[in-house]
Amino acid sequence: MLESVGTPTLYLSFTAFVVVMLAIDFFGLKTSGDHKVSTKEAAIWSLIWISVALAFGGWFYWYLEGIAGPVVAKAKSLEYITGYLIEKSLAVDNVFVWITLFSFFGVPPQYQKRVLLYGVLGAIVLRAILIYLGAILLAQFHWILYVFGLFLLYTGIQMLISADSEPDLADNKLLKWLRGHMRITDEYHGEKFFIMRDGLRFATPMFVVLIMVEITDVIFAVDSIPAIFAVTGDPFIVFTSNVFAILGLRAMYFLLADMADRFHLLKYGLAGILIFIGVKMLLLDIYKIPTGIALGVVGAILAGSVVASLLTSKPAAKTPPG
């Protein structure tokens, strides 16, 4: 097993804490009824979740200082903060895909939060499984780090190349398969995923959207989990930073839903982060980039892409000739 500060008691306590936080998130954003989450409400909750994540980092330092001393506490806390920033940054791209999905399927704003509720729950469970498998693989096969590094480098370059292109959902193979193998209604029926019609069960477009959201969670988890293992080999830090990044995703979605075009250069920044993390992982046995420097680089890339987006306008879409 990898050396970890996590103990069974710590894992259980953190899991109980997450359950409480999820309940607050779901009820705080009014998960039931025809309530459209406002930008102001989403901004407040986004600040709350970021504050909770940072507060946990402070508590984590205090806890480790008491049991292992200030040197270990500083190193592990820095790994947590760096991991959280990486995961939060990469989660933004996930949010942009959600925006595209909801727009393509025409999901009414007041119904979106139920799909996101299940999306967040699925993301937490999925990442817990992938983190556990990743930790086992790294403990047994050190060379897996190079595989992760090459994968992140490739993914970052691909993201950089396709940053300006929009996903073609109309030609999505999974979507075509679902439509060819399920009875699906043409219209929404409130927040229902299934309805009965003439004695037959029909899926609604809400269920199709849910499946697509869960699949995107799988895709982004495959990117983000290797990325954080470049910063820390401690499964507890990997898990906690991932969970805190996911907890505020619903609020982040409602915050960015109406202003996604204002951050048109952010994908270039996210691609740069993936490329940097991939290179960092490939150099681990040659030169280990200090965690503090990695935190600074990731923060600078993210901030630079946000500022550049706000200072420039998104190019107008080209009108087809004729």
Side-chain angles (χ1 to χ4, degrees):
M1 289 291 291
L2 289 173
E3 183 180 352
S4 174
V5 299
T7 62
T9 300
L10 206 54
Y11 273 107
L12 287 174
S13 299
F14 182 74
T15 301
F17 172 76
V18 170
V19 171
V20 173
M21 290 296 100
L22 285 171
I24 292 174
D25 184 27
F26 297 158
F27 287 109
L29 284 177
K30 302 178 183 177
T31 57
S32 61
D34 289 348
H35 170 72
K36 181 181 182 299
V37 178
S38 67
T39 301
K40 179 181 178 181
E41 188 179 357
I44 292 173
W45 280 105
S46 293
L47 288 174
I48 288 174
W49 296 129
I50 292 173
S51 299
V52 170
L54 295 178
F56 177 82
W59 173 86
F60 192 46
Y61 178 90
W62 172 82
Y63 170 77
L64 291 176
E65 186 180 31
I67 64 171
V71 175
V72 172
K74 181 180 179 181
K76 293 291 186 179
S77 298
L78 197 57
E79 289 177 4
Y80 163 77
I81 293 296
T82 305
Y84 171 72
L85 181 60
I86 290 172
E87 296 302 316
K88 199 69 172 177
S89 302
L90 297 179
V92 174
D93 202 29
N94 203 346
V95 169
F96 285 159
V97 172
W98 288 351
I99 293 172
T100 303
L101 282 172
F102 288 155
S103 175
F104 178 81
F105 286 98
V107 183
Q110 63 270 28
Y111 300 150
Q112 293 172 1
K113 53 190 177 295
R114 189 181 185 206
V115 175
L116 294 179
L117 183 156
Y118 288 103
V120 168
L121 284 176
I124 290 177
V125 173
L126 173 69
R127 293 187 186 219
I129 295 172
L130 290 179
I131 289 168
Y132 177 73
L133 293 176
I136 292 177
L137 286 174
L138 288 177
Q140 300 295 325
F141 310 105
H142 177 74
W143 54 264
I144 289 290
L145 285 171
Y146 295 107
V147 176
F148 285 172
L150 287 172
F151 175 73
L152 292 175
L153 189 60
Y154 171 79
T155 304
I157 293 173
Q158 287 297 111
M159 184 183 290
L160 200 62
I161 295 172
S162 61
D164 287 330
S165 61
E166 296 292 335
D168 185 10
L169 290 175
D171 197 40
N172 185 277
K173 293 182 180 179
L174 173 62
L175 183 55
K176 287 183 176 180
W177 187 90
L178 289 173
R179 286 174 170 168
H181 290 76
M182 296 181 66
R183 292 184 291 268
I184 304 173
T185 64
D186 293 325
E187 68 284 343
Y188 288 93
H189 293 264
E191 295 184 331
K192 294 180 180 178
F193 292 127
F194 296 95
I195 63 165
M196 296 299 295
R197 178 183 290 176
D198 299 326
L200 298 174
R201 183 181 294 273
F202 282 75
T204 71
M206 281 281 285
F207 180 73
V208 178
V209 175
L210 175 63
I211 296 299
M212 298 296 287
V213 166
E214 295 294 357
I215 293 300
T216 61
D217 284 342
V218 173
I219 295 171
F220 284 103
V222 171
D223 281 344
S224 63
I225 299 302
I228 192 171
F229 272 117
V231 175
T232 177
D234 191 320
F236 182 75
I237 295 176
V238 175
F239 180 60
T240 52
S241 57
N242 262 274
V243 169
F244 275 119
I246 294 170
L247 273 178
L249 273 190
R250 291 201 318 139
M252 182 189 292
Y253 167 80
F254 291 112
L255 180 64
L256 296 177
D258 297 326
M259 58 179 72
D261 286 345
R262 292 297 298 122
F263 300 100
H264 57 283
L265 297 178
L266 190 55
K267 280 198 173 184
Y268 291 99
L270 300 180
I273 290 174
L274 282 177
I275 291 172
F276 169 72
I277 295 300
V279 171
K280 180 182 186 301
M281 189 169 276
L282 291 173
L283 294 177
L284 276 177
D285 288 331
I286 300 174
Y287 174 69
K288 187 173 182 180
I289 299 175
T291 305
I293 293 178
L295 176 60
V297 171
V298 171
I301 294 174
L302 182 62
S305 60
V306 170
V307 171
S309 296
L310 295 175
L311 293 178
T312 60
S313 300
K314 183 177 182 179
K318 295 182 179 179
T319 304

